[in-house]
Amino acid sequence: HIHWGLSNEADIRMEDGFLRSKGLGAALVRPLSLVFDKKGLYFDPRQPSELEDLIIKRSHGDGRIERLGQELRQEIIDGGLCKYNIGKEASKRQNTDYILVVGQVEDDASILTATHDINSNLKLLRAAREAHPNRYILYKPHPDVEAGLRKGKISDALKLADEIVENSNPLDLLGEACIELWTMSSLMGFEALIRDVKVVCAGMPFYAGWGLTHDLIPAPMRRNASPTIAQLIYATLIDYPRYFDPQTGKPISITTAMQILQETPNRTSQARLKMLSLIRKARARLLKKA
């Protein structure tokens, strides 16, 4: 994220929004949504954020907020939209149900700030297996980790998971057969809530601590509201982000943003990912020698 510090009163923090792009940020695909927060940032539960304030505010909203949140929820489901909107269609499985464990980038700020004891993909996968010794478990690595761009690979994941699902559309994994999702702080937890999947959080992402998820660590006491999923969606996707046309930079509505995501081809080519991976590895070697 970017932190502009003109003065203590004027600090504004910027981060990608939750309907981001058709392709990975690590592959330098431009975002079409950004969030600007004067209080903190949504992924860091150690301090308040404007998103928390909006969620609390909307939890006391009227029927209009609930209706608009539900309409947006259905549009997202019907449009098959998520943060990055990439990946091949997941193969069909004979198993009637499974637990989905979602890997993340382990040096990401959300892991460093929003987790306690379970702060790595291996620890998360091990905790899920201990909780479900006889269930079929799928492990999905983060796309940036799959591409070799970021830290978080588990070398022996198949000792704990029954299957590793790589380069797949995450939404294909959130169907009826997914009875539970385990995450530290991934946005896939929010995307699972949208689709009525039970979510277990080992960390404290922005959507946890409100009574909508099963939380393995205590929530901040300031998260004392009980929003519905529709109210959470409204605060998170309508109130909080700003949407921009990635070509012109001009402000757009969330409706236009969703249309762009549905109409834009995937710009994250394998050749581009390979090139970026080589650049990152060369840079890491140079820094190590220095």
Side-chain angles (χ1 to χ4, degrees):
H1 70 278
I2 296 174
H3 181 199
W4 292 314
L6 302 178
S7 70
N8 289 337
E9 291 76 25
D11 284 358
I12 298 177
R13 296 160 179 86
M14 182 179 74
E15 180 60 271
D16 287 342
F18 309 107
L19 294 172
R20 185 196 186 279
S21 54
K22 198 70 169 284
L24 300 176
L28 308 182
V29 178
R30 288 184 179 181
L32 53 71
S33 67
L34 294 169
V35 300
F36 301 88
D37 200 312
K38 295 179 181 178
K39 296 186 71 173
L41 268 176
Y42 66 84
F43 57 73
D44 186 353
R46 300 173 303 177
Q47 57 186 341
S49 70
E50 289 188 39
L51 179 54
E52 282 186 343
D53 294 345
L54 290 167
I55 292 171
I56 293 171
K57 175 183 176 181
R58 294 309 181 187
S59 70
H60 304 296
D62 54 23
R64 174 180 169 274
I65 299 300
E66 181 73 18
R67 175 177 57 80
L68 291 174
Q70 287 289 6
E71 289 176 357
L72 178 57
R73 179 185 191 183
Q74 194 59 51
E75 289 173 5
I76 290 170
I77 294 172
D78 293 343
L81 297 176
C82 58
K83 183 173 184 178
Y84 293 117
N85 303 284
I86 59 171
K88 298 183 296 185
E89 182 178 354
S91 59
K92 304 298 181 183
R93 291 170 180 78
Q94 296 180 351
N95 303 78
T96 56
D97 53 47
Y98 54 80
I99 307 295
L100 177 61
V101 178
V102 180
Q104 292 180 247
V105 175
E106 290 184 349
D107 57 359
D108 190 78
S110 68
I111 301 299
L112 300 177
T113 62
T115 61
H116 288 181
D117 294 337
I118 300 176
N119 57 5
S120 71
N121 294 325
L122 179 59
K123 290 179 180 178
L124 178 69
L125 185 54
R126 184 179 293 128
R129 174 53 75 194
E130 289 174 354
H132 299 285
N134 300 315
R135 286 286 191 183
Y136 196 88
I137 292 182
L138 301 185
Y139 174 65
K140 185 192 182 311
H142 189 280
D144 286 349
V145 175
E146 286 180 335
L149 301 175
R150 302 290 295 276
K151 177 183 176 182
K153 184 176 180 180
I154 302 178
S155 57
D156 55 354
L158 285 176
K159 291 183 179 180
L160 294 165
D162 297 286
E163 185 178 348
I164 300 175
V165 187
E166 296 182 332
N167 192 28
S168 61
N169 187 326
L171 301 186
D172 288 340
L173 304 175
L174 295 177
E176 294 181 1
C178 181
I179 60 172
E180 192 170 285
L181 178 143
W182 280 61
T183 181
M184 288 178 281
S185 59
S186 170
L187 190 64
M188 268 196 74
F190 177 59
E191 292 161 351
L193 285 179
I194 290 175
R195 293 159 177 85
D196 281 328
V197 175
K198 179 182 177 182
V199 177
V200 177
C201 292
M204 188 51 55
F206 71 88
Y207 54 83
W210 308 104
L212 299 172
T213 56
H214 178 71
D215 303 325
L216 301 184
I217 62 175
M221 293 189 66
R222 62 182 182 273
R223 295 191 186 183
N224 54 7
S226 300
T228 65
I229 292 177
Q231 291 165 345
L232 177 70
I233 290 170
Y234 191 98
T236 303
L237 297 180
I238 295 179
D239 283 334
Y240 193 48
R242 300 179 188 179
Y243 296 89
F244 304 90
D245 186 307
Q247 300 302 317
T248 67
K250 293 182 178 180
I252 57 176
S253 67
I254 185 175
T255 301
T256 301
M258 291 193 294
Q259 290 174 347
I260 291 173
L261 288 176
Q262 290 176 300
E263 296 170 0
T264 302
N266 186 354
R267 297 173 179 171
T268 307
S269 68
Q270 291 302 312
R272 189 177 193 183
L273 290 175
K274 185 175 182 180
M275 178 190 70
L276 288 167
S277 178
L278 291 173
I279 291 172
R280 283 176 179 262
K281 290 176 181 178
R283 179 176 179 272
R285 286 195 295 267
L286 290 172
L287 290 174
K288 188 175 181 179
K289 289 180 180 179

